[in-house]
Amino acid sequence: MPMRTLMLTLLLLGPAYLQAGEPDPLQSVMWEHHHRNLLKGEPYVFDERVRVQLPPFAEDARQVPVLIDARELGEDVVRIEAWADLNPIPRIFTFEPGEKALPLVAIRIRVEQATPVRAAVLTRDGVWHMGGAKVDAAGGGCTAPSVVRAQPGWEDHLGEVLGGRFPRGDASRLRMQISHPMDNGLVGGIPEFFLNQAVLRGADGQPLATLELYPAVAENPTISLELKTDEPAQLWLRDNNGNEFEAAL
């Protein structure tokens, strides 16, 4: 293909494709691996509109707050994938916002060591928009013994949801904490036991948003979502042992 024709084709494809393959701004040795395995090698662009906020240092590596905000991409967001590059189990969640949900998720995670934390936001044109930030940590958050399991009678509270709803103009933010050990299988003698599915439904029973969760999520997970409406919502949860839980919000 003549060079002039090639350049015209790239220009027509748009800036996202022109930037695909640019150096990783977080300089992680695992970037190419995760791009290949988690994003299937699909087109991407590093995009400042995808914001990942977390503390520069994790004082408690078992409970690291992360906020992923892709609202600047507007209505084009199809899915968000989040992971921590250097965790033994990197994936954090997959989030699919419905028409009444905004592309924003706040959650607490575990980190095993200092690591980049990334959000990949898929838009309708098939391009992944990448955002990320680094967190420093003393380490051991993924292999530390469970605090939940050390509490007497924790099984009696399994799946309990404490939540609140906060108005934000015409929208509302939901903040939920779910009682669950979120065992990741990395502590000796304790198999994986974690919440892996969450669906937020509206008053008509239709999904407002769906989350697939992974063992990198902290025990007794705290999750915040943002809706465009203030209509009643119902949270449905399921863990990998088949236990199901529900809560009205």
Side-chain angles (χ1 to χ4, degrees):
M1 179 184 293
M3 181 59 68
R4 184 176 178 181
T5 304
L6 174 61
M7 291 303 297
L8 179 59
T9 302
L10 289 173
L11 286 169
L12 289 173
L13 285 173
Y17 291 89
L18 288 172
Q19 295 178 46
E22 64 182 313
D24 173 22
L26 298 178
Q27 300 179 336
S28 170
V29 296
M30 295 299 294
W31 160 242
E32 291 297 338
H33 171 79
H34 291 316
H35 173 234
R36 196 166 50 246
N37 288 274
L38 298 182
L39 304 184
K40 312 302 180 187
E42 294 173 353
Y44 69 91
V45 57
F46 293 108
D47 193 332
E48 293 182 354
R49 293 174 295 175
V50 178
R51 293 185 293 163
V52 178
Q53 299 177 10
L54 68 169
F57 181 81
E59 295 190 9
D60 183 351
R62 300 168 301 180
Q63 294 280 344
V64 182
V66 179
L67 172 67
I68 294 171
D69 183 355
R71 289 176 293 181
E72 288 188 35
L73 292 176
E75 303 291 331
D76 290 331
V77 174
V78 175
R79 188 162 82 249
I80 300 176
E81 297 278 355
W83 70 87
D85 274 19
L86 301 179
N87 266 8
I89 303 175
R91 297 184 80 178
I92 301 169
F93 66 76
T94 300
F95 176 61
E96 295 185 3
E99 293 181 359
K100 296 181 180 180
L102 293 169
L104 180 147
V105 180
I107 198 165
R108 290 181 178 266
I109 68 170
R110 300 176 170 105
V111 295
E112 185 63 12
Q113 58 182 299
T115 180
V117 176
R118 299 189 192 263
V121 181
L122 181 65
T123 49
R124 298 186 193 282
D125 58 3
V127 176
W128 291 95
H129 297 254
M130 299 299 309
K134 287 184 177 179
V135 59
D136 198 1
C142 297
T143 50
S146 169
V147 174
V148 171
R149 287 186 174 275
Q151 298 170 350
W154 65 267
E155 302 96 332
D156 297 334
H157 301 282
L158 186 69
E160 287 184 357
V161 179
L162 299 176
R165 190 162 191 160
F166 308 94
R168 299 179 68 85
D170 294 332
S172 60
R173 178 169 290 188
L174 302 179
R175 182 175 172 85
M176 305 156 281
Q177 184 179 56
I178 306 107
S179 296
H180 205 286
M182 297 296 289
D183 297 315
N184 58 16
L186 300 178
V187 178
I190 301 177
E192 285 189 344
F193 180 44
F194 63 97
L195 294 165
N196 60 355
Q197 296 179 59
V199 180
L200 190 66
R201 294 190 172 94
D204 58 1
Q206 296 301 308
L208 300 172
T210 62
L211 267 170
E212 187 172 356
L213 303 171
Y214 298 93
V217 175
E219 56 188 313
N220 283 346
T222 299
I223 303 171
S224 295
L225 303 175
E226 199 155 300
L227 299 178
K228 300 176 185 177
T229 71
D230 59 358
E231 67 179 87
Q234 186 86 12
L235 180 67
W236 173 86
L237 300 154
R238 182 174 180 172
D239 64 29
N240 67 321
N241 279 12
N243 299 306
E244 297 186 13
F245 315 101
E246 290 190 44
L249 298 167

